[in-house]
Amino acid sequence: MTLRTAALAAGVLGVLLLIAGLIADAQRPPRDVLATADVDTPVVVYSPAMVEFAAQSRLGVTGEGDIVALTARPADADAWLAEHEATEVTGLPQWETLSTTAYEAVEPEPTASPSASPSASASASEEPSPSPSPSGDDEAAEDAEPVDILAETSADHWREQWNGVDRVAVSAADVPVGETLIIASRDGSPLTQTDMRLSREVNDGWITPLIWWGAGLTLVGLIALIFRFIDTRPVQAKLEARRASRGADADETSEPGSRRARRENGELLPDASLDEEPASPSSATSTESAKSTDSAASAETPPSPERSPEDEGGRS
Amino acid sequence: MNARFVAGVTGASALLLLTGCVAEVPAPVTENPELPLKAAVLEPQSDRIAEETHAELEAADSEDDAELLTDRVGGPAVTIRDAQYTLEDDGDGPSPDDLPQATQAVYTVGAEGWPRTMAAVTEPAGEDSTPVVMMWVQESIDDDYQLRQWSHMIPGAAIPAMNGTTEGAQQLTVSAEGLQMTPEEAIDNYLELLREGTDSEFEETFAPDSYRDQLFAARETLTDAASEADGEYEDSIEGDLDNTFVMSTAEGGALVFTPLTVESSFSVDDGIVEISDAQQSLVDGDIEEVAVYDYLDTLVMYIPAADSEDQPAVVAADHNLISISAG
């Protein structure tokens, strides 16, 4: 496999990685998710366990008019809820969905007094329409004082309270541990939706590196592809010719005084050996004379690791 | 075709990877976490209850109208206040009891059922006064806490240590065990002591208190006065268990809040019982030879735990004249 082929293969892989990275980036799941559930009762309940489950999440309820969120001890909440129609949020089966169920009161208090709802109808009947008509009852109902399901009973058991119009949202962290969260529409109209805004962990740290690797490999492949369609032989030939001419020029000239120049001038160069005792200058001269042919030939071969005494003497 | 296949596989792989990117939905919490503050009423709530109670009292006091005592004041407290308004209306009568808003301590129960109680010990209204012990009752989740009785502390008496808001006091019944005597027995025995006087077998059972001392002293004085007029003095004292409420103390004892009715009959022979000017407004009918005084007294009694060396004691009591009739 040539370099060009390998680069082309890398380019194909890079394109695939780039496509995968870009698709993943486009479809990257959001970290913040809103789980919702539709409700149709005037009261929504989050048990202490559900509030703890929500942890740092924000719990919201949507409806019309004044909406109030309250907390109470579970026993007190049960007693209050025993007289009200309520929906309990029970879990999070999927990231975008809350599960709910109709709230079932644990046990109604035997001493519980009748709810105050009769008083509302009584006040309506006490204020008859000034112009009697067949629809007098309806008009009387319209003249009735607004219902406040929270004012119908004591408020002494409520511990915390948040108010909102059309929507109220409470951070689960603000709900005291162990207390039940009750969210109610003040006028008793049905609420429409409850939601939990969550932050979840998304392991998407690989997407950006994937895109960069894909882009890099694609670039390599692209370069290889470009060179496949461009004839570089003239350039290569030109480069080789230039290199050859530079070599020839180097053969013609040698630096004056260098070993090469001395060899070219026929001078004998000393040959050193470490195996023998250092020789006297006279013997060295005779050795040089005897080995002048060999030293000229050894200039073309790599230096031997063995070093002669003459070599050491030459360096001294 | 091949390129489409590769692109499809690539895209599907990316989506598959993404599916694995998202963490699993957290496991649900199946059990409710423990409630750190189990008391039925915490400080903000008890403050609100006390404020609304005093606001209602102030409104009624300003008009001397007990009918304005509706939501936050009820039971014996309305009867007592109504009589005090009547006395004040006359001009010569005393002012209604001063119930200070500043409190030294508030005691609440950790009960999950009803009725529930809340008690508070106020600061003294003045130098010549002792702190007032006030007691509220909530009958059901629908009802507000209502002030049912108040009593001034007996000089020298002390309220035993009570549980805080972490647990709250227990709401006991009048038949609660584990005490030196059940609250019902304690009330019966104390009533017997009040009826019989210092010769009662229960004289030593209960710690000395100024309430019964004053009652005995008044009985002696009125008996002597009636004798001098060839008349007679009698009194009858009854408890009211239906309006009795019991809270546990921190040491296993009990604090009993109970009203008593005292009916004193004073008669003279061949004469007319003279009623003081300050009490004229409470007179019902024409008083002649017999005058019957009706009192509604409020007591707070401490019953120690069975293994305690303390004595049962009345720690707060008020003697409230309600009406005077011809009998």
Side-chain angles (χ1 to χ4, degrees):
Chain A
M1 179 184 286
T2 64
L3 182 62
R4 178 181 294 171
T5 308
L8 286 171
V12 171
L13 180 63
V15 169
L16 292 177
L17 292 179
L18 191 60
I19 292 171
L22 292 174
I23 291 175
D25 189 49
Q27 300 296 323
R28 190 190 299 250
R31 290 185 186 279
D32 294 330
V33 63
L34 187 68
T36 62
D38 292 336
V39 295
D40 59 355
T41 57
V43 180
V44 172
V45 184
Y46 283 85
S47 69
M50 197 61 205
V51 171
E52 183 167 274
F53 172 79
Q56 304 297 320
S57 305
R58 200 158 182 81
L59 308 173
V61 169
T62 307
E64 288 185 2
D66 291 340
I67 302 175
V68 185
L70 307 129
T71 70
R73 294 193 312 167
D76 297 347
D78 286 340
W80 188 83
L81 289 166
E83 301 169 7
H84 296 85
E85 187 184 7
T87 300
E88 181 176 13
V89 179
T90 55
L92 182 76
Q94 297 172 354
W95 279 113
E96 291 81 13
T97 309
L98 289 170
S99 59
T100 60
T101 184
Y103 183 84
E104 292 182 9
V106 175
E107 187 178 346
E109 287 296 328
T111 57
S113 59
S115 73
S117 55
S119 66
S121 59
S123 62
S125 60
E126 286 171 3
E127 297 178 13
S129 168
S131 57
S133 68
S135 60
D137 290 343
D138 294 338
E139 291 187 15
E142 289 174 5
D143 292 340
E145 290 181 6
V147 175
D148 186 346
I149 64 171
L150 297 175
E152 291 171 353
T153 60
S154 171
D156 291 344
H157 53 280
W158 302 124
R159 292 189 169 184
E160 302 287 343
Q161 181 170 337
W162 297 266
N163 299 305
V165 177
D166 296 339
R167 175 176 171 77
V168 68
V170 179
S171 172
D174 292 338
V175 178
V177 174
E179 294 183 12
T180 301
L181 176 65
I182 294 174
I183 305 164
S185 66
R186 198 176 272 281
D187 61 1
S189 63
L191 299 166
T192 55
Q193 189 183 68
T194 183
D195 56 71
M196 183 186 296
R197 186 171 295 281
L198 299 146
S199 286
R200 62 183 173 184
E201 186 179 349
V202 178
N203 300 319
D204 58 354
W206 53 272
I207 294 178
T208 304
L210 188 71
I211 293 173
W212 281 110
W213 274 103
L217 292 175
T218 303
L219 184 65
V220 169
L222 196 62
I223 293 169
L225 193 64
I226 289 169
F227 278 105
R228 182 189 169 106
F229 294 109
I230 296 175
D231 188 1
T232 58
R233 281 173 295 179
V235 176
Q236 285 177 338
K238 195 178 287 182
L239 286 174
E240 285 172 4
R242 184 175 174 186
R243 195 179 301 140
S245 65
R246 188 183 293 173
D249 292 343
D251 289 343
E252 288 173 2
T253 60
S254 56
E255 193 175 339
S258 65
R259 290 170 67 90
R260 191 172 190 172
R262 288 163 62 189
R263 276 199 304 273
E264 287 171 357
N265 293 334
E267 291 183 18
L268 289 174
L269 297 177
D271 191 10
S273 173
L274 295 174
D275 295 337
E276 297 175 9
E277 288 294 319
S280 62
S282 58
S283 62
T285 305
S286 63
T287 307
E288 282 180 8
S289 306
K291 293 183 178 177
S292 61
T293 311
D294 293 338
S295 65
S298 65
E300 297 296 325
T301 59
S304 169
E306 294 181 357
R307 301 168 70 189
S308 64
E310 288 82 354
D311 197 13
E312 285 196 354
R315 290 185 180 179
S316 64
Chain B
M1 180 68 182
N2 195 27
R4 282 183 186 173
F5 176 75
V6 171
V9 168
T10 306
S13 302
L15 291 176
L16 201 63
L17 282 169
L18 282 173
T19 306
C21 284
V22 180
E24 290 289 323
V25 175
V29 178
T30 53
E31 288 190 3
N32 286 344
E34 189 177 357
L35 194 65
L37 299 175
K38 297 184 178 62
V41 173
L42 303 182
E43 189 176 345
Q45 298 160 281
S46 62
D47 286 349
R48 188 176 67 221
I49 291 167
E51 283 173 14
E52 292 179 6
T53 302
H54 285 288
E56 192 168 301
L57 280 168
E58 282 178 14
D61 289 354
S62 64
E63 301 287 332
D64 277 347
D65 186 357
E67 290 186 359
L68 298 177
L69 302 173
T70 52
D71 298 328
R72 286 296 182 186
V73 184
V78 175
T79 306
I80 294 167
R81 206 64 171 178
D82 191 20
Q84 292 178 348
Y85 291 153
T86 305
L87 285 170
E88 189 184 37
D89 260 352
D90 190 49
D92 294 328
S95 298
D97 286 345
D98 187 1
L99 304 176
Q101 293 195 32
T103 56
Q104 298 182 36
V106 176
Y107 309 121
T108 61
V109 296
E112 295 187 345
W114 283 268
R116 299 171 182 170
T117 56
M118 181 184 96
V121 180
T122 72
E123 296 288 349
E127 291 182 358
D128 298 331
S129 181
T130 57
V132 179
V133 181
M134 304 170 74
M135 193 271 294
W136 287 260
V137 177
Q138 186 186 37
E139 293 287 357
S140 75
I141 189 70
D142 295 329
D143 298 316
D144 288 331
Y145 277 83
Q146 275 192 333
L147 178 66
R148 292 293 177 85
Q149 73 168 59
W150 67 84
S151 318
H152 287 79
M153 287 192 69
I154 301 289
I159 299 289
M162 303 286 284
N163 284 332
T165 52
T166 304
E167 293 292 334
Q170 293 178 52
Q171 192 72 61
L172 303 177
T173 64
V174 292
S175 58
E177 301 287 345
L179 307 168
Q180 289 185 1
M181 60 188 83
T182 66
E184 185 174 3
E185 288 171 346
I187 292 169
D188 287 344
N189 294 343
Y190 192 75
L191 289 179
E192 198 62 31
L193 170 59
L194 293 179
R195 291 180 192 120
E196 294 179 358
T198 53
D199 295 334
S200 169
E201 61 175 312
F202 299 111
E203 171 66 14
E204 300 301 323
T205 303
F206 292 91
D209 64 74
S210 58
Y211 169 73
R212 71 174 189 257
D213 290 345
Q214 290 173 9
L215 196 76
F216 295 160
R219 179 184 291 161
E220 190 176 346
T221 303
L222 291 168
T223 301
D224 290 345
S227 296
E228 287 176 8
D230 296 327
E232 196 174 28
Y233 174 77
E234 288 181 341
D235 59 31
S236 64
I237 306 169
E238 299 296 332
D240 182 1
L241 290 181
D242 289 341
N243 284 307
T244 298
F245 298 93
V246 187
M247 297 170 72
S248 70
T249 69
E251 303 296 329
L255 209 55
V256 182
F257 300 85
T258 185
L260 304 179
T261 55
V262 180
E263 188 179 280
S264 304
S265 173
F266 185 88
S267 64
V268 294
D269 184 32
D270 195 21
I272 293 176
V273 178
E274 193 171 326
I275 308 296
S276 69
D277 291 341
Q279 296 175 335
Q280 280 292 340
S281 57
L282 290 178
V283 173
D284 181 18
D286 294 329
I287 304 296
E288 293 184 352
E289 293 180 345
V290 180
V292 178
Y293 291 75
D294 289 314
Y295 294 90
L296 181 53
D297 294 359
T298 50
L299 270 64
V300 181
M301 186 185 293
Y302 165 52
I303 307 173
D307 57 355
S308 172
E309 295 181 355
D310 293 344
Q311 264 187 303
V314 171
V315 295
D318 273 1
H319 190 54
N320 303 295
L321 179 61
I322 303 302
S323 67
I324 304 170
S325 62

